[in-house]
Amino acid sequence: MAEWNAYYQNEDEDEEQEEGEQSGGDYKVTGRDSLVFLVDASKEMFIKGEDGEPSNFDMTMQVVRSVYTSKIISSHRDLVALVFYGTEQSKNPRNSFKYVYVYHDLDEPGAKRVQEVDALRGEKGARLAAETMGSGETSLGDALWCCANLYSDIKLRLSHKRLMIFTCRDEPHRGDSAKDRQARTKASDLKETGVIIDLMHLMKPGGFDVAPFFRDIVSQPEDESELGLHLEPCDKLEDLQKRVRAKEQKKRAMARLNLCLGEGINVAVGIYATAVTARKPAAIRLYRETNEPVRSKTRTFHMQTGSLLLPSEIKKAQTYGKKQIVMERDEVDSIKKFQDPGLYLIGFKPMEKLKTHHHIRPAVFLYPEEGEVKGSACLFSALLMKCSERNVFALCRCVSRRNYPPRFVALVPQREEVDEGKVQFTPPGFNVIYLPYADDLRTLDPPQCPSASQIQVDKMKEIVSKLRFKYRSEAFENPVIQQHYRNLEALALDMMAPEDTEDLIMPKVDQINHRLGPLAEEFKDLVYPAGYNPESKSVAKRKTAIVGGVAEKKPKAEVPEDELRAHVQNGTLGKLTVPVLKEACKQFGVRTTGTKKQELIDALTTRLTDTV
Amino acid sequence: MAGTKSALVLCMDVGFSMSNSAPGEEPPFELAKKVIQKFVQRQVFAENKDELALVLFGTDSTKNPLDRDGQYQNITVHRHLMIPDFELLEEIENQVHPESQQADWMDALVVCMDLLQTETKGKKFDRLNVALLTDLSTQANQDHLDVIIENLKQAGITLQFFLPFPAEDDEEGGGDSDRRGPGHPGTGKGLSREQKESLDLVKHVMLSLDEEDGLDQVYTFRDAIEQLCMFKRIERRPMAWPCQLTIGSCLSIRIVGYKAVTEERLKKMWVTVDAQSNQKEDVKRETVYCLDDDNETEVKKDDTIQGFRYGSDIVPFSKVDQDQMKYKHDGKCFAVLGFTKQNLVRRHQFMGSQVVKMFAPKDDEHAGVALSALIRALDELQMVAIVRYAYDRRSNPQVGAAFPCVKQDYECLMYVQLPFMEDLRQFTFPSLENNKKLSPSDTQLSAVDSLIDSMMLVQKDDDDADQKDIFKVHHIPNPAFQRHFQCLHHRAVNPGTPLPPMEPWLKAALERPDVISERCQAPLEEIKRKFPLIEVEKKKKLKTSAQIFGKDAEEPDAKKAKGDEEEDYNLADIAEGSVTSVGSVDPARDFRTLIKLKSLPFGEVCQQLTHRIEQLLSNKNTHYYMKSITCIQAFREQSVKFLVVEEKKEEAAVPSAEDTGDVDDLLDMM
């Protein structure tokens, strides 16, 4: 087991290394991302849907909560605020705005905030909202102004500023043109400071009309091509969640490279990680006395002199046998260098040449960078269309960073797909699949096993059909991470016990058994001989081994004659083991020359059908 | 299976015909020697327990245990079975030369078999292999052919042949090897009668050993250099992972998993040694903890506890508590959650770094039949199993897909990890097709079409349906390993000399095949004409010292420094408070202020700044690095000015005080 264990123990280490590799791209933007939820708290928001559907307010709070918790897990340094408008009470930094209630100002979300948002959910939440904030007049202009102040009060550098308005009222000021004008002015002020304003409009009777008012409030898409305003309002939690999620994360390129088709033909592309293994964050060291975080400093110094060693005073070495091989630090780097970073086109191959099992690390995503090389998007788009149309992928040599050795990658075309609500669910671009080298493929000696008969296969097909479901990649939460955060949440909030987490990757055994009904037994009857127990066999074996290698003498394997005949008739002799078959041959005086199973079966079949 | 090892005999023809070559071609001898060097090199660096022997034939002298009565002549056992080392590498380099005799390769094979049988006695080897490198120019004695084949079979010795020419015509054996144009030396000349006869004999031997794939183990020298033929045969097999595949609680199938694909890494790490003594014991790394206060008060490790961040909160959470409260599970498992259509599991959502193949246990044919039923059912329905996979109790469970894989000679399930919700980042990107400004015209599209046509790496043969792939990535050995071993080898044997350039074949193996390069010339020109690409001028991303200190940093320019000073400086800074020493908040500003105020001697202020820089550098954090760079900038700028002043005073040239080399080091560290 040594090898497997070694791998798993090193897993974290290994992948950390990989992670470094992936996230190592030049993160030029150093500021924090920020997101303000500006939520309408008017009476209309609290109206429950038909058949007990949650109110728009309730739905919004669920979304806000899920954004809070996901930020805590994935990007805890982002700042989030929750502001209500159209309230009766007002609460804002200088209390200079009426009908605006800053529930949470711009800060990193924490356990307490999650709890406070939770308090606003459901029936109870609506009551609490009515008590603390109430519903009053609306001045979106003031609300936006207040939000502008939130931004300007932040001393940190903000890199990405977004504001989402959640409302189900398309005319918040009911035609008060002065208020409308003020709101427009404030919105354009905000936009000028780099805030992107989105509208998450919710269902209302009679439909939500974006045109008269909100069209001028929200940000114009960055360029013509960006998916503009969603014209359809959201009426489902899932949709709203999807819309918010799509906007909430700022995408950043891990690296910007050139995709070189040939001499002087360079297409600028950005590489994006669309799936990165989420891990438990590393622990922080705290000072026992005060619980304040401590910083760690690692120093390299000389044992004898005690002086700090500069990079130029150390070298790198490896020892083989008794031979020490020493290199300068930059030599170690230079060994790894083959070419400058970039993608270089080798050629094209039909899609069926991309093997499922040629997988060594998660894929990344490629999208043109028009801002680096003008004309990139057009050539990229042409390549994408043609590759997709002809069902081919582009094979490229890829050097992802300075001093990284090359790997070959398959650029697999992916056309844009949007759902009914015009929300993009697959973006246009190339998926970059890393391909293995010869060293990465291991030689296996597959065991020689008999194949199943069509009857056996068909029975399994029934089982498979009974347990069909529609796989969605976002359906499974990581129980390890979820449990970790629940624990932290419980500790942070002084809860008695952490909230229960449902382990979504646990098989629902009872349901499966129920669905299968008699199928499981039927299948086992078809493939396993009587008395075969797949669970105990290996265990039993090991036990005898422990006892001291004195293997019990196998009981004489004998099968009653009628049972044998039944097997012959049904053609299921193959279920018996070779020793049993041999014994049966002896029993019937069948003389066989061969020892192969099929030979034994054939001989027995001939013999027993003859005598029938 | 920690103890598994292989024994391999390299049996190389050094006879006179091996030196023959057509003009401009490398003689077979040189190629064969390269194959052996490359192989031994990797074995040395792999540091496994595999043992190796070297037998030469066609040698002028004779030295082998079977040398009797004029039999087995001109065959030399150069090295007996043992773990390969640098010595062997040096011997091959310096002592293996072309010689002037010829010997029967069949005889040489017998010597190798005898060697394997006598020298492996009492030791346990999992694999025995003989690799024969020859041009087959001698007539082989066929008298004992059957005995030899029988002996090979019984002893479990596998055979590999390495020849200067392909064993079969191009469509099969030499499939991807002739991609570099003219191809194999020797093919052009046509084979001699002896070679033809010997080749038939080789085929006969190989097919008697393995009816189906025997000929797959006959390689050309070129293939051998560019691929890893020899390694694959003696490679250690991955560890078995026995488990049960369960569907609900009533149905389980015994399975065994093997890691089939995973990114191989170099086993050995670089250790840091002192540049003077080359001793790693002289270098010590130490981690200290300190409070985030002005004095950076150090605290003992024992006085610290563990905590985690929960958003803005930091929650103290001891290791003991963490272990007690963490997610626990029942350990090893491969449980089906359900089945789904293959097309719902997207290729780009594969996670993790490996593919595990699941077979039935070798001795359990019932499990084999049951697993086969599942594999075939999935295959026929185009579905996959979604499973919960846990390697053991200590490792985190995963969700993944088990794909059916039905091959001619085996069936298995292939397991790949799939993402958790937390892993996914749903990015949206602007539409490309629906954008009028960006969408390509018809002529542009047809230019791309002809580019794809000209660059197809897979060609359909006209006569049969077989496709020929001329660039198989999974046949290329990882070039990083090759280069790494080449450099280590060089440094070990020639210490003190600069590292060698990359080997030409390695460079070539990573390039576009020549055929493609030629074919795509015109279409590429067309693309160039049809798609204007204009680079947008931007600041260089990579910071060099010149950029940090300004273009003309090399020549101190007092005037410029003076000009800058007026801009950067404003009185408010000075008026803000009295600066008495270089603080940690904005050391560069404090430094400038102090220099300006002249309240402290220049040297002392510099010392204070240097101290701060050292402090900053001890934090591994980009922010601190950037801060220290601004300090160094200030340091330099003030020093330059100081120098100019001093120069004026002394009217003497003083060399630049700052060594920019260190700044590059600093940038490297980031």
Side-chain angles (χ1 to χ4, degrees):
Chain A
M1 303 295 272
E3 204 186 340
W4 281 82
N5 285 345
Y7 174 76
Y8 274 85
Q9 269 159 7
N10 292 336
E11 199 181 36
D12 282 12
E13 226 173 279
D14 267 358
E15 297 197 22
E16 224 160 45
Q17 207 178 331
E18 243 166 77
E19 188 82 27
E21 200 171 298
Q22 294 209 324
S23 58
D26 49 339
Y27 277 100
K28 288 253 119 171
V29 208
T30 45
R32 310 274 197 98
D33 285 358
S34 62
L35 173 63
V36 173
F37 293 107
L38 183 54
V39 181
D40 187 351
S42 65
K43 290 217 163 58
E44 287 89 333
M45 286 289 285
F46 291 93
I47 299 169
K48 271 210 220 149
E50 296 153 34
D51 331 315
E53 294 274 300
S55 70
N56 281 328
F57 186 84
D58 198 4
M59 220 158 78
T60 307
M61 286 308 109
Q62 289 201 43
V63 172
V64 171
R65 186 201 201 265
S66 78
V67 170
Y68 271 29
T69 47
S70 83
K71 287 267 180 209
I72 286 175
I73 295 181
S74 61
S75 36
H76 66 86
R77 289 170 61 78
D78 290 1
L79 307 178
V80 189
L82 176 58
V83 180
F84 295 102
Y85 71 97
T87 54
E88 194 186 351
Q89 307 296 323
S90 26
K91 181 183 164 227
N92 43 70
R94 290 171 272 283
N95 274 326
S96 43
F97 304 105
K98 271 185 145 184
Y99 319 120
V100 181
Y101 197 101
V102 177
Y103 197 71
H104 289 149
D105 60 4
L106 265 181
D107 204 348
E108 297 169 359
K112 196 152 159 280
R113 289 192 162 198
V114 175
Q115 237 178 5
E116 284 161 359
V117 173
D118 267 339
L120 291 177
R121 284 169 55 188
E123 200 91 29
K124 259 200 209 153
R127 245 178 286 134
L128 179 71
E131 278 164 28
T132 52
M133 303 181 292
S135 300
E137 278 180 56
T138 301
S139 168
L140 195 60
D142 280 349
L144 290 171
W145 195 345
C146 177
C147 293
N149 286 348
L150 291 183
Y151 281 116
S152 58
D153 285 348
I154 290 293
K155 290 283 177 286
L156 298 159
R157 234 181 88 199
L158 299 176
S159 60
H160 180 71
K161 297 183 265 191
R162 206 173 260 279
L163 185 141
M164 290 183 185
I165 304 175
F166 292 78
T167 183
C168 59
R169 294 184 298 160
D170 47 7
E171 282 181 71
H173 308 119
R174 302 205 179 137
D176 182 336
S177 60
K179 276 187 171 175
D180 278 359
R181 207 175 326 113
Q182 192 218 359
R184 283 194 198 108
T185 320
K186 283 299 152 203
S188 73
D189 287 355
L190 266 174
K191 285 183 272 187
E192 233 161 71
T193 60
V195 179
I196 299 163
I197 304 178
D198 290 316
L199 178 64
M200 297 293 155
H201 47 312
L202 306 157
M203 208 43 149
K204 77 165 180 94
F208 194 108
D209 190 359
V210 177
F213 175 70
F214 275 103
R215 205 183 40 200
D216 298 333
I217 297 289
V218 299
S219 298
Q220 289 307 307
E222 285 156 41
D223 53 297
E224 275 175 53
S225 59
E226 182 155 25
L227 287 171
L229 205 51
H230 298 303
L231 295 173
E232 293 295 312
C234 275
D235 56 349
K236 280 198 213 81
L237 178 66
E238 223 173 277
D239 284 353
L240 185 62
Q241 224 143 16
K242 238 192 269 171
R243 270 186 206 189
V244 173
R245 262 193 97 169
K247 296 258 175 188
E248 163 249 311
Q249 287 169 326
K250 167 83 182 151
K251 49 178 192 281
R252 283 205 180 108
M254 289 177 355
R256 292 197 177 82
L257 299 173
N258 278 338
L259 165 60
C260 176
L261 307 188
E263 183 76 30
I265 310 175
N266 292 313
V267 179
V269 291
I271 295 187
Y272 299 83
T274 47
V276 179
T277 311
R279 316 177 168 285
K280 264 193 298 194
I284 321 170
R285 299 241 132 245
L286 308 175
Y287 185 44
R288 192 188 290 281
E289 306 292 316
T290 55
N291 279 353
E292 65 179 308
V294 296
R295 269 209 325 260
S296 71
K297 294 198 279 191
T298 305
R299 301 187 283 225
T300 310
F301 58 87
H302 197 276
M303 261 312 249
Q304 259 92 56
T305 64
S307 61
L308 285 179
L309 286 169
L310 289 175
S312 58
E313 289 170 320
I314 54 177
K315 285 187 183 175
K316 295 286 177 180
Q318 293 195 351
T319 309
Y320 289 93
K322 276 173 235 129
K323 221 167 185 128
Q324 188 192 37
I325 303 169
V326 182
M327 289 196 196
E328 302 283 350
R329 284 171 66 251
D330 55 343
E331 281 178 328
V332 174
D333 284 338
S334 76
I335 291 176
K336 286 185 269 177
K337 180 174 173 149
F338 282 69
Q339 285 104 7
D340 285 327
L343 286 154
Y344 179 78
L345 178 66
I346 301 288
F348 298 88
K349 285 188 190 185
M351 277 307 290
E352 67 263 20
K353 287 282 163 189
L354 183 64
K355 303 294 181 213
T356 309
H357 64 281
H358 283 180
H359 165 70
I360 48 168
R361 46 169 110 152
V364 291
F365 184 74
L366 220 57
Y367 190 83
E369 290 276 342
E370 192 70 3
E372 304 271 323
V373 174
K374 218 164 162 285
S376 291
C378 181
L379 181 46
F380 186 95
S381 177
L383 271 173
L384 184 62
M385 283 164 85
K386 278 295 161 191
C387 283
S388 155
E389 193 183 297
R390 302 182 51 166
N391 205 24
V392 297
F393 66 84
L395 181 72
C396 291
R397 188 180 66 213
C398 171
V399 175
S400 50
R401 291 175 65 191
R402 223 152 56 96
N403 291 341
Y404 266 58
R407 284 220 82 104
F408 287 93
V409 295
L411 305 190
V412 178
Q414 174 173 292
R415 300 288 276 266
E416 181 181 16
E417 288 172 290
V418 293
D419 64 12
E420 319 86 59
K422 288 277 180 337
V423 179
Q424 184 182 67
F425 64 91
T426 35
F430 285 99
N431 285 307
V432 181
I433 312 280
Y434 289 89
L435 300 174
Y437 282 121
D439 303 77
D440 306 324
L441 300 179
R442 302 192 172 184
T443 319
L444 305 180
D445 300 317
Q448 294 299 315
C449 275
S451 296
S453 69
Q454 197 56 47
I455 304 167
Q456 291 161 329
V457 173
D458 287 342
K459 187 53 81 181
M460 184 48 94
K461 276 189 185 170
E462 287 180 50
I463 293 180
V464 169
S465 312
K466 283 276 188 234
L467 301 177
R468 277 178 82 124
F469 77 111
K470 204 171 165 202
Y471 170 79
R472 285 181 311 119
S473 53
E474 66 275 14
F476 299 100
E477 287 182 344
N478 186 339
V480 178
I481 293 185
Q482 291 298 331
Q483 182 68 51
H484 177 75
Y485 280 103
R486 292 284 190 287
N487 292 345
L488 291 182
E489 195 180 57
L491 290 167
L493 300 174
D494 287 327
M495 285 153 62
M496 291 297 285
E499 220 181 293
D500 278 338
T501 47
E502 193 191 350
D503 186 348
L504 295 170
I505 59 165
M506 209 55 181
K508 299 189 172 58
V509 173
D510 293 338
Q511 269 183 44
I512 292 177
N513 291 346
H514 179 73
R515 282 231 201 162
L516 290 186
L519 279 174
E521 285 308 316
E522 287 167 26
F523 177 75
K524 280 198 280 189
D525 285 344
L526 275 176
V527 293
Y528 293 153
Y532 174 87
N533 184 351
E535 271 135 63
S536 64
K537 199 164 174 179
S538 57
V539 181
K541 240 189 184 168
R542 202 168 299 153
K543 263 184 201 151
T544 53
I546 292 165
V547 170
V550 194
E552 286 173 77
K553 204 159 173 105
K554 274 187 198 149
K556 271 248 160 114
E558 243 172 323
V559 182
E561 190 176 333
D562 47 344
E563 204 174 296
L564 265 178
R565 285 187 193 280
H567 275 306
V568 171
Q569 259 169 7
N570 299 335
T572 47
L573 266 181
K575 282 166 66 178
L576 304 177
T577 60
V578 173
V580 174
L581 289 172
K582 273 191 181 158
E583 199 56 42
C585 286
K586 264 192 218 156
Q587 198 181 328
F588 288 95
V590 183
R591 287 176 57 191
T592 53
T593 43
T595 49
K596 288 228 173 97
K597 185 162 186 180
Q598 199 53 52
E599 289 168 357
L600 294 172
I601 293 173
D602 290 345
L604 265 176
T605 315
T606 337
R607 174 64 199 259
L608 287 172
T609 34
D610 282 348
T611 54
V612 162
Chain B
M1 272 210 291
T4 60
K5 53 181 180 173
S6 311
L8 173 91
V9 186
L10 295 172
C11 181
M12 179 178 163
D13 191 347
V14 296
F16 74 81
S17 65
M18 287 288 281
S19 314
N20 294 342
S21 66
E25 281 174 359
E26 240 177 317
F29 173 85
E30 291 302 329
L31 288 171
K33 185 165 161 174
K34 264 189 206 162
V35 173
I36 287 188
Q37 275 178 320
K38 196 131 285 122
F39 176 77
V40 176
Q41 189 183 83
R42 274 189 86 133
Q43 284 297 101
V44 171
F45 289 115
E47 286 203 313
N48 51 29
K49 300 215 169 66
D50 294 347
E51 295 191 14
L52 203 71
L54 178 61
V55 173
L56 305 174
F57 64 102
T59 47
D60 297 342
S61 59
T62 301
K63 201 179 118 198
N64 71 70
L66 302 182
D67 166 22
R68 226 168 280 128
D69 313 327
Q71 285 209 329
Y72 300 102
Q73 291 306 293
N74 305 106
I75 300 173
T76 304
V77 177
H78 185 90
R79 181 176 252 233
H80 292 273
L81 203 59
M82 58 195 278
I83 293 172
D85 48 23
F86 282 106
E87 240 162 73
L88 179 60
L89 275 174
E90 276 170 78
E91 281 170 25
I92 295 172
E93 176 74 46
N94 303 322
Q95 294 172 21
V96 177
H97 302 297
E99 304 200 26
S100 51
Q101 295 298 315
Q102 288 287 77
D104 183 346
W105 58 267
M106 199 62 98
D107 283 352
L109 176 60
V110 175
V111 170
C112 295
M113 289 164 62
D114 172 70
L115 184 150
L116 273 180
Q117 276 177 335
T118 50
E119 298 189 14
T120 56
K121 256 187 207 134
K123 297 190 206 167
K124 195 175 171 298
F125 286 96
D126 298 277
R127 262 160 254 285
L128 305 176
N129 189 40
V130 175
L132 247 138
L133 300 94
T134 173
D135 62 353
L136 298 177
S137 293
T138 48
Q139 193 148 26
N141 181 354
Q142 303 191 23
D143 294 349
H144 305 291
L145 190 58
D146 293 339
V147 183
I148 293 174
I149 291 174
E150 199 44 45
N151 273 334
L152 283 170
K153 275 188 186 170
Q154 267 180 6
I157 298 175
T158 51
L159 258 188
Q160 288 175 306
F161 278 92
F162 295 85
L163 311 176
F165 42 82
E168 289 171 283
D169 294 335
D170 269 353
E171 78 262 354
E172 278 175 70
D176 19 278
S177 50
D178 59 347
R179 35 179 278 241
R180 314 243 168 257
H184 312 282
T187 37
K189 290 189 299 190
L191 304 182
S192 68
R193 193 176 53 81
E194 289 83 8
Q195 283 177 316
K196 276 185 194 141
E197 277 180 23
S198 287
L199 188 57
D200 286 338
L201 199 56
V202 168
K203 286 185 192 173
H204 173 74
V205 173
M206 294 309 278
L207 289 175
S208 343
L209 290 176
D210 181 349
E211 253 169 78
E212 272 169 36
D213 304 320
L215 294 184
D216 289 357
Q217 294 299 329
V218 182
Y219 302 95
T220 63
F221 291 151
R222 276 258 170 243
D223 285 347
I225 293 176
E226 293 181 15
Q227 303 177 7
L228 291 172
C229 319
M230 269 189 253
F231 293 97
K232 285 285 155 191
R233 195 95 214 206
I234 60 162
E235 197 179 58
R236 225 182 298 168
R237 303 303 193 251
M239 272 311 306
W241 179 74
C243 189
Q244 276 141 32
L245 180 151
T246 57
I247 305 175
S249 61
C250 304
L251 183 53
S252 55
I253 304 173
R254 292 178 62 209
I255 53 167
V256 180
Y258 297 93
K259 206 184 280 187
V261 182
T262 191
E263 193 171 336
E264 209 61 57
R265 291 170 195 278
L266 291 167
K267 303 252 159 13
K268 212 161 232 184
M269 291 291 154
W270 290 98
V271 290
T272 305
V273 298
D274 178 54
Q276 244 101 60
S277 65
N278 284 351
Q279 296 293 311
K280 70 162 184 266
E281 289 77 18
D282 285 344
V283 178
K284 182 146 176 94
R285 275 173 81 82
E286 185 195 55
T287 303
V288 292
Y289 298 94
C290 58
L291 298 178
D292 200 10
D293 57 13
D294 249 7
N295 298 323
E296 303 200 312
T297 321
E298 275 189 29
V299 294
K300 279 199 209 108
K301 192 177 178 200
D302 292 344
D303 288 335
T304 63
I305 51 169
Q306 183 185 260
F308 286 95
R309 205 176 267 288
Y310 185 79
S312 53
D313 309 313
I314 292 173
V315 183
F317 195 12
S318 74
K319 250 207 149 72
V320 183
D321 286 346
Q322 197 197 344
D323 279 343
Q324 201 166 36
M325 290 173 76
K326 79 172 181 205
Y327 175 84
K328 289 183 198 79
H329 61 98
D330 298 334
K332 196 185 256 193
C333 129
F334 198 77
V336 173
L337 304 180
F339 299 96
T340 196
K341 277 271 166 212
Q342 266 175 32
N343 60 13
L344 291 177
V345 179
R346 310 282 281 257
R347 179 67 160 81
H348 64 270
Q349 291 195 324
F350 287 8
M351 298 296 288
S353 57
Q354 59 172 348
V355 174
V356 182
K357 286 191 175 175
M358 306 286 178
F359 298 95
K362 275 202 174 65
D363 54 349
D364 189 343
E365 47 190 291
H366 306 301
V369 172
L371 189 63
S372 164
L374 175 60
I375 293 166
R376 287 176 175 244
L378 291 176
D379 191 51
E380 287 172 25
L381 294 168
Q382 289 288 293
M383 294 182 80
V384 294
I386 300 296
V387 297
R388 172 196 177 91
Y389 165 88
Y391 173 70
D392 69 6
R393 192 187 289 277
R394 292 163 306 164
S395 54
N396 295 335
Q398 304 174 352
V399 62
F403 286 84
C405 166
V406 179
K407 286 273 165 72
Q408 203 165 20
D409 43 354
Y410 68 91
E411 297 169 0
C412 68
L413 286 176
M414 297 190 300
Y415 170 81
V416 188
Q417 190 186 349
L418 292 175
F420 284 117
M421 184 268 279
E422 292 89 340
D423 305 338
L424 295 169
R425 300 184 186 171
Q426 238 104 38
F427 293 147
T428 49
F429 287 86
S431 177
L432 289 172
E433 278 173 56
N434 305 329
N435 187 324
K436 298 242 158 49
K437 265 199 296 191
L438 301 177
S439 54
S441 67
D442 286 347
T443 52
Q444 283 178 322
L445 283 173
S446 72
V448 172
D449 239 342
S450 31
L451 180 74
I452 295 178
D453 282 334
S454 72
M455 293 186 79
M456 281 311 281
L457 295 163
V458 178
Q459 279 129 14
K460 270 207 181 90
D461 277 350
D462 291 334
D463 15 307
D464 60 331
D466 249 15
Q467 290 184 329
K468 202 166 95 183
D469 189 340
I470 58 171
F471 200 95
K472 283 186 180 158
V473 175
H474 62 281
H475 283 183
I476 304 175
N478 189 340
F481 295 177
Q482 297 293 334
R483 175 76 178 141
H484 182 80
F485 295 140
Q486 182 207 359
C487 290
L488 282 179
H489 182 181
H490 176 93
R491 185 51 55 86
V493 181
N494 319 288
T497 58
L499 296 178
M502 205 170 303
E503 290 168 284
W505 71 266
L506 184 58
K507 244 184 170 146
L510 304 173
E511 289 301 327
R512 204 177 268 172
D514 291 340
V515 227
I516 300 288
S517 293
E518 272 164 45
R519 265 205 323 242
C520 70
Q521 284 275 307
L524 273 177
E525 285 305 316
E526 188 63 15
I527 293 274
K528 212 171 187 174
R529 271 195 298 277
K530 293 275 158 63
F531 292 92
L533 292 164
I534 303 143
E535 196 163 339
V536 180
E537 268 315 316
K538 277 217 172 140
K539 274 191 281 173
K540 275 262 172 64
K541 281 176 194 159
L542 205 66
K543 285 198 174 179
T544 64
S545 55
Q547 282 163 332
I548 287 173
F549 298 121
K551 245 192 233 145
D552 33 22
E554 295 317 308
E555 33 185 328
D557 186 348
K559 250 187 212 156
K560 190 173 170 290
K562 213 158 205 171
D564 286 345
E565 177 194 6
E566 255 40 83
E567 281 165 14
D568 293 352
Y569 241 73
N570 67 49
L571 272 170
D573 281 347
I574 302 171
E576 206 175 86
S578 54
V579 181
T580 52
S581 67
V582 179
S584 61
V585 181
D586 191 347
R589 191 195 56 191
D590 293 351
F591 175 72
R592 287 200 185 95
T593 314
L594 286 168
I595 297 280
K596 181 100 181 167
L597 292 175
K598 294 202 175 74
S599 53
L600 288 171
F602 184 78
E604 192 179 329
V605 185
C606 289
Q607 221 160 28
Q608 283 183 7
L609 183 73
T610 335
H611 178 65
R612 285 292 172 209
I613 295 175
E614 276 171 10
Q615 268 185 346
L616 290 170
L617 285 180
S618 59
N619 296 300
K620 281 220 167 11
N621 181 319
T622 317
H623 178 71
Y624 289 103
Y625 286 145
M626 293 320 290
K627 209 169 177 179
S628 57
I629 284 184
T630 47
C631 290
I632 296 171
Q633 274 173 307
F635 196 0
R636 187 191 162 88
E637 145 212 317
Q638 295 300 324
S639 306
V640 168
K641 263 188 280 173
F642 182 75
L643 277 181
V644 173
V645 177
E646 293 291 292
E647 259 173 58
K648 270 185 196 151
K649 277 186 198 160
E650 295 176 22
E651 298 287 335
V654 184
S656 170
E658 197 60 47
D659 177 14
T660 49
D662 281 349
V663 180
D664 284 331
D665 282 342
L666 177 68
L667 288 169
D668 278 347
M669 274 163 57
M670 301 156 64

